[in-house]
Amino acid sequence: MTESEFAAIVGKTKRIVLAAVRKHLAVRFSFAIDDVVQETYLRGYRHLAGGRFREESSIESWLYAIARNESLRMNKKLMREEEKTRKAADERQLAMNTGPVAEDAISLELLIGRLPEKYRAVMTLKAQGLSERDIADTLGITTGTVKSRFSRGKEMLQKLSGEVV
């Protein structure tokens, strides 16, 4: 399979693949759409190049099924990561043996909850004390993306609160 042949397949199927990903990937994980689409096409390419596409269906429906499966796989992966993060935060909270949460922290949590998902995820994990590397690993993004989303998230919080955060 040549690069131009595969590029033609991508051009022909990108809307279908994106539709499958948007339908099957949880909204809170929308930051991972690009990763799921990329993995869909990588998996499709490996199968096509290896001669494992049996042509029992159209290439569009075959790639739709791959995109659906990759979306479901990503949902499971990110839910496991959320659970790990939640458990780690609970353990840190217990280790610190802190009392009730201060009103400022509650206000900040409410403001963070109003951010778009991709910024909210970074801000929440940062507030839990995770490093940029841990956040990047948890969300499946680069540390540069973590830094920029954290910076933009702070700007949005400043606008939401009307004061410097």
Side-chain angles (χ1 to χ4, degrees):
M1 162 148 306
T2 67
E3 187 177 320
S4 60
E5 290 172 331
F6 190 69
I9 291 171
V10 170
K12 179 179 167 185
T13 61
K14 64 184 171 186
R15 286 189 179 154
I16 292 166
V17 168
L18 279 171
V21 172
R22 285 189 182 116
K23 180 176 181 181
H24 298 285
L25 187 67
V27 173
R28 71 181 190 269
F29 302 138
S30 61
F31 59 86
I33 287 175
D34 293 340
D35 294 334
V36 174
V37 170
Q38 181 178 10
E39 188 58 35
T40 298
Y41 282 116
L42 284 172
R43 188 173 295 267
Y45 179 80
R46 283 192 300 260
H47 281 79
L48 287 168
R52 290 181 284 173
F53 176 56
R54 296 179 296 214
E55 298 186 33
E56 294 173 356
S57 63
S58 70
I59 195 141
E60 291 89 352
S61 62
W62 178 67
L63 282 171
Y64 183 95
I66 293 173
R68 181 194 66 230
N69 293 339
E70 288 302 321
S71 298
L72 297 175
R73 213 175 266 124
M74 183 64 78
N75 285 336
K76 287 179 184 177
K77 175 186 173 190
L78 294 175
M79 283 189 279
R80 283 191 307 268
E81 293 299 325
E82 280 181 344
E83 187 58 31
K84 283 183 199 175
T85 302
R86 206 174 359 265
K87 285 180 181 178
D90 290 346
E91 289 172 8
R92 274 195 293 276
Q93 188 71 22
L94 285 174
M96 292 173 49
N97 197 15
T98 58
V101 179
E103 282 185 38
D104 288 345
I106 293 171
S107 298
L108 183 58
E109 275 187 52
L110 292 173
L111 287 174
I112 290 173
R114 293 174 56 195
L115 294 175
E117 175 59 34
K118 65 183 182 180
Y119 302 108
R120 181 172 55 238
V122 170
M123 299 300 285
T124 300
L125 294 173
K126 188 74 168 172
Q128 293 172 356
L130 269 68
S131 69
E132 290 172 348
R133 179 76 253 155
D134 290 339
I135 295 170
D137 291 343
T138 299
L139 299 178
I141 57 179
T142 66
T143 54
T145 303
V146 171
K147 290 176 184 178
S148 69
R149 287 182 183 176
F150 182 70
S151 177
R152 289 185 186 129
K154 282 192 336 187
E155 290 173 8
M156 289 178 195
L157 287 174
Q158 289 173 349
K159 288 178 184 173
L160 287 170
S161 69
E163 59 189 54
V164 176
V165 176

